[in-house]
């Protein structure tokens, strides 16, 4: 352990060294070295170090790297960090950088700046090329987590009577502005989306054919206010390269490109996993989260569970007479409720994930609960026999009846935990609520209370207590 | 609840209705209706119903839908299910279907068939077009979870001296076989990968230019034996459309296309989430998992934790004298270890996810542990005060000292749980082990045992027991 920490201090040191080296390179106006060091930051996932540079140092780095390279680095950063950096630069440099970043990412950054410092944000937008600024202003109203917030207005749309070769010529003329075309969209004069065709198809079809004849009209699209997760799932399941985004009347507003999809899926899985652990989603990269933020995200569920556990305390108080009669009963409480909680946690995590990726629908509820209850029973038989054996070894009395109580409790409790762990998420999903609120700690706490009742009821009956 | 179940039986019913309707349509040779019903199964995520059709019914469905449509349906199914269906069809029909499926997906299916019934698999391969069969045979040796297992051999590679317009002409000639080209790869005469250029660039550049001058040589690639997760992360982080796969000597073997990436990311997140819940990954879609499989995946960790909890039992036995002196001590055990377990679970889930998506590296260990310990302390102060207040209400004695013990235990325990919950995953990651083995149940059990020691030590000291 000591050597682990030593090594780590070395590596931490090297983060600071990297920053120092970059500062020296900037001071010495060594553009080539600065470029190399920025590249190393990218490779080491240490771009957040850029945040520590002063406005003056950033201005020089901009001169060395150029807007394209520096813009790409900023686009890789969390957009809150990127906003912080841009705010410290001159409006013209910040504007050049934003122009070099994809419009949907640039919009996220400007949204943060507008919240923190609307005046600076406006100055930067004014300093941008009018066209690029207009794109960002168009995207600003859409919430970050919606399809509209993920879309880019950089797409190619043509009327259906344009011929394939004319379309290729048109593409050539916008090649500078639009970095990567997968599909050409076909719209009518009112900009309603009619269809789409792939670049592949366009290039490889007879040059004289109108695109209206080449296009596919059976295409997927999403509405701008749809959740980004829905868009991501659609792109993944249907293997799309890009997904058009439309308004209520079917006007084409923008497209979501495949390169955003991986990010969305990762983001959603991160949120689900944090919820499963019993915390509210952080919504920021971990290294940005302060202890106060971590505290705020965790205390809510902790308090809910804490008050729920008061019930557990009351239940145990209720059975205090029994505990006083047979103090050995208390010895088994942790292992009993622990095992019940573990089975509940296993069940819940499996089912919440299966619901999230659409492997199960709530209409399968009867089959699922049956399967889980049976699994819980199987686990209970094995664990109950083991528990019985272990309980025989506890205390001097070698009390067979106590061992039976403990073994039987495990059997009933694992079956119960697996059943509850499957019923709760599916019920929530049926009620259109997020099943992920049934976290591992939630189900454990729930099983704790009910487990004690099962335990003491069996004990009272089989040991003739109470 | 009753109405939930009723509704569900209705929906379940409708699954069977759908199957019945499809069977009737097949019987009545109503191709159009069969097509519609198959489409509805796709929309309802109910394709697994196809498994229930007999070989005879499948043969007719094949005739109605054609190999392209039915192949697409099969490709959307889990490949174990698809293998089962193909095995029930004639070798020629199965061969036609496999030809219509992307080679990487088709290979996964054939791999399953080869394991279950090598003779049938071989017959189907022999019945296929020699070229398509050769592609599958080439991909067979690669493990499903590696870059090689995800790649398709359907890519376009040319020599550097071919001109742009000649390349487009060449593309046109293979348009039939290769469904969607994003990049053209450039190789030397020994098939070493030299560079790549996008279709976009190819079409929009001067027609006479050799591709060797148009290509980008700074391209990302992965080795065939690399983990699929590495490939997926690379494609997502660098926003690639496709990723070339090479062997040890840099020969181009195939490409991973963007449409597989979402699936990989989802698969890996599912595994992590199942592990976090304290179960081994299922590796099959939930609806395919039998209770016996669920049992097998869960019993392992359950037993490990069970035996670990024996230590907890021993600890509590050790303090039995103390418990006999102050039976009220037992009342607080569930809420104390419950809260400690909850904090541990919150910490572990956040950190395991941050490690998985690369937001933190093990070199940040000192900063992370400091942050988590401080967060645990903040949580402990709030929860400790609340616990103290609640403990004052328990029993008749209104024992202030007992309340202090209980409140203080929460304070120490949450700090301890947050610290351990951050140290363990990072240590495992440093040791190149999967940090996800520190599941929520694991950390809860760990905190249970140590929590009891903290509790009884504080009680012994402050209440003068023992």
């Amino acid at each position: 352990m000591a050597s682990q920490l030593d090594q780590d201090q070395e590596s931490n040191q090297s983060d600071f060294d990297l920053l120092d080296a970059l500062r020296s390179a900037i001071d010495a106006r060594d553009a080539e070295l600065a470029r190399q060091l920025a590249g190393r930051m990218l490779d080491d996932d240490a771009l957040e170090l850029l945040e520590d540079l002063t406005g003056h140092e950033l201005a020089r780095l901009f001169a060395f790297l150029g807007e394209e390279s520096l813009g790409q680095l900023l686009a890789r950063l969390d957009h809150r960090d990127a906003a912080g950096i841009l705010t410290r630069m001159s409006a013209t440099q910040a504007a050049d950088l934003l122009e070099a970043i994809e419009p949907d990412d640039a919009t996220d950054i400007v949204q943060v700046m507008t919240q923190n410092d609307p005046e600076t944000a406006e100055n930067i937008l004014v300093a941008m090329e009018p066209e690029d600024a207009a794109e960002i202003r168009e995207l600003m109203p859409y919430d970050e987590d919606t399809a509209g917030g993920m879309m880019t207005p950089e797409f190619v749309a043509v009327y259906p009577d344009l011929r394939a070769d004319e379309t290729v010529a048109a593409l050539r003329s916008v090649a500078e502005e639009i970095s990567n075309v997968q599909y050409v969209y076909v719209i009518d004069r009112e900009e309603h989306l009619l269809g789409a065709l792939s670049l592949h198809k366009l290039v490889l079809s007879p040059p004289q054919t109108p695109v209206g004849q080449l296009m596919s009209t059976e295409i997927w699209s999403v509405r701008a206010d749809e959740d980004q997760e829905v868009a991501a799932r659609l792109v993944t399941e249907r293997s799309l390269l890009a997904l058009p985004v439309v308004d209520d009347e079917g006007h084409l507003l923008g497209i979501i490109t495949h390169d955003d999809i991986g990010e969305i899926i990762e983001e959603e899985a991160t949120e689900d996993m944090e919820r499963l652990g019993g915390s509210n989603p952080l919504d920021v990269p971990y290294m940005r989260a302060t202890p106060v933020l971590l505290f705020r995200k965790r205390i809510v569920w902790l308090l809910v569970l804490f008050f729920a556990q008061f019930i557990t305390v009351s239940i145990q108080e209720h059975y205090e007479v029994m505990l006083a009669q047979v103090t050995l009963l208390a010895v088994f409480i942790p292992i009993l409720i622990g095992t019940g909680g573990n089975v509940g946690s296993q069940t819940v995590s499996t089912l919440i994930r299966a619901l999230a990726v659409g492997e199960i629908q709530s209409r399968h509820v009867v089959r699922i609960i049956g399967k889980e209850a049976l699994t819980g029973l199987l686990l209970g038989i094995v664990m109950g026999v083991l528990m019985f054996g272990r309980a025989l070894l506890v205390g001097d009395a070698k009390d067979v009846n106590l061992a039976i109580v403990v073994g039987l409790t495990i059997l009933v409790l694992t079956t119960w935990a697996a059943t509850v762990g499957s019923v709760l998420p599916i019920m929530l999903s049926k009620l259109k609520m997020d099943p992920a609120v049934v976290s591992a700690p939630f189900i454990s706490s729930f099983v704790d209370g009910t487990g004690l009742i099962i335990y003491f009821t069996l004990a009272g009956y089989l040991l003739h207590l109470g």
Side-chain angles (χ1 to χ4, degrees), chain A:
Chain A
M1 189 57 212
S3 73
Q4 295 279 355
L5 283 172
D6 287 352
Q7 262 183 37
D8 186 81
Q9 274 165 349
E10 261 176 56
S11 321
N12 256 327
Q13 197 57 40
S14 89
D15 264 18
F16 296 116
D17 283 351
L18 198 54
L19 182 63
D20 279 345
L22 181 62
R23 286 208 153 116
S24 312
I26 290 173
D27 266 355
R29 296 170 190 271
D30 187 339
E32 182 49 37
L33 184 58
R35 244 196 302 277
Q36 275 175 25
L37 290 168
R40 242 186 81 195
M41 283 184 177
L42 181 65
D43 293 338
D44 285 8
D45 272 315
L47 282 178
E48 70 274 8
L49 292 176
L50 290 178
E51 267 204 286
D52 294 332
L53 295 181
T54 65
H56 188 67
E57 287 166 335
L58 285 168
R60 286 222 196 145
L61 191 63
F62 176 90
F64 298 157
L65 266 66
E67 65 244 33
E68 281 298 332
S69 303
L70 189 55
Q72 270 174 27
L73 295 185
L74 293 184
R76 291 285 310 279
L77 265 180
D78 181 65
H79 46 258
R80 291 174 207 80
D81 292 330
I85 291 175
L86 287 179
T87 315
R88 288 207 301 285
M89 304 186 72
S90 73
T92 23
Q93 285 192 341
D96 285 350
L97 286 169
L98 282 178
E99 287 166 15
I101 297 175
E102 298 279 327
D104 52 333
D105 293 328
T107 305
D108 290 344
I109 298 173
V110 176
Q111 276 171 339
V112 174
M113 288 200 290
T114 307
Q115 276 161 26
N116 299 341
D117 182 356
E119 204 176 325
T120 308
E122 188 53 37
N123 287 343
I124 295 175
L125 280 173
V126 170
M128 286 178 70
E129 292 286 329
E131 265 183 45
D132 291 318
E135 282 180 352
I136 291 179
R137 285 185 206 274
E138 249 174 59
L139 294 178
M140 290 274 287
Y142 297 103
D143 187 53
E144 210 192 322
D145 294 334
T146 63
M150 295 303 299
M151 74 184 176
T152 168
E154 290 191 340
F155 58 86
V156 176
V158 297
Y159 296 132
D161 45 10
L162 204 67
R163 296 180 345 196
D165 52 354
E166 292 167 341
T167 308
V168 173
L171 276 180
R172 203 160 294 183
S173 70
V174 295
E176 279 296 300
E177 287 129 64
I178 300 200
S179 50
N180 216 333
V181 172
Q182 307 304 328
Y183 295 107
V184 171
Y185 295 95
V186 184
I187 52 174
D188 65 17
R189 308 282 152 174
E190 281 86 41
E191 304 198 352
H192 292 103
L193 178 63
L194 299 177
L197 71 166
S198 64
L199 184 58
H200 183 80
K201 175 114 187 221
L202 180 68
V203 172
L204 305 180
S205 295
Q208 317 292 327
T209 329
V211 291
Q213 287 176 34
L214 296 173
M215 73 180 182
S216 162
T217 54
E218 286 181 10
I219 58 170
W220 294 94
S221 63
V222 283
R223 279 183 22 180
D225 54 3
E226 191 70 82
D227 193 304
Q228 61 173 359
E229 196 174 1
V230 174
R233 180 128 302 128
L234 203 54
V235 171
T236 305
E237 291 189 351
R238 309 286 163 165
S239 296
L240 310 174
L241 280 165
L243 182 65
V245 180
V246 294
D247 66 12
D248 296 357
E249 279 115 42
H251 296 107
L252 182 58
L253 302 174
I255 59 170
I256 295 178
T257 51
H258 77 99
D259 58 307
D260 297 318
I261 300 304
E263 272 171 49
I264 298 175
I265 296 177
E266 287 213 328
E267 211 178 292
E268 299 289 338
T270 301
E271 283 182 15
D272 283 356
M273 215 171 282
E274 287 169 345
R275 282 208 193 90
L276 183 64
S279 160
N280 282 326
L282 290 184
D283 291 331
V284 299
Y286 180 79
M287 291 307 284
R288 274 188 62 88
T290 60
V292 173
L293 181 75
L294 291 173
F295 171 83
R296 275 180 23 223
K297 297 294 184 180
R298 291 181 191 169
I299 191 72
V300 186
W301 273 110
L302 223 46
L303 284 176
V304 171
L305 297 170
F306 188 68
F307 289 114
Q309 277 159 330
F310 282 176
I311 303 171
T312 313
V313 173
S314 305
I315 293 172
Q316 202 158 344
E317 269 188 279
H318 179 75
Y319 291 109
E320 219 202 313
V321 185
M322 229 183 253
L323 274 174
Q325 284 175 278
V326 187
T327 39
L328 266 183
L329 278 177
V331 167
F332 295 103
I333 290 177
I335 196 165
L336 290 176
I337 63 182
T339 302
N342 291 345
V343 172
S345 160
Q346 291 178 330
T347 310
V348 154
S349 59
T350 305
L351 284 184
I352 284 179
R353 185 59 187 163
L355 280 167
V357 299
E359 279 179 8
I360 55 176
Q361 282 81 37
S362 51
R363 67 172 189 278
H364 299 130
V365 63
V366 174
R367 252 193 291 173
I368 293 166
I369 295 173
K371 178 148 75 174
E372 287 298 336
L374 182 54
T375 306
L377 186 66
L378 290 175
L379 292 168
I381 291 171
V382 173
M383 306 299 288
V385 170
L386 284 171
M387 190 72 245
F388 171 79
R390 177 67 178 86
L392 281 180
L393 306 175
V394 170
D396 304 319
K398 309 274 179 276
D399 187 338
V400 178
N401 281 337
L402 179 61
I404 291 175
V405 168
V406 177
L408 213 54
T409 301
I410 285 269
L411 173 70
V412 177
L413 192 50
T414 54
T415 312
W416 170 240
T419 310
V420 174
S422 55
V423 170
L424 287 186
I426 298 177
M427 254 179 45
L428 287 174
S429 151
K430 277 222 167 199
L431 299 172
K432 308 278 173 220
M433 290 166 67
D434 186 350
V437 299
V438 192
S439 60
F442 180 94
I443 195 80
S444 296
S445 303
F446 188 87
V447 170
D448 280 3
T450 48
L452 285 176
I453 296 178
I454 295 172
Y455 183 38
F456 286 112
T457 307
L458 285 172
Y461 191 73
L462 291 172
L463 304 179
H464 312 290
L465 304 172

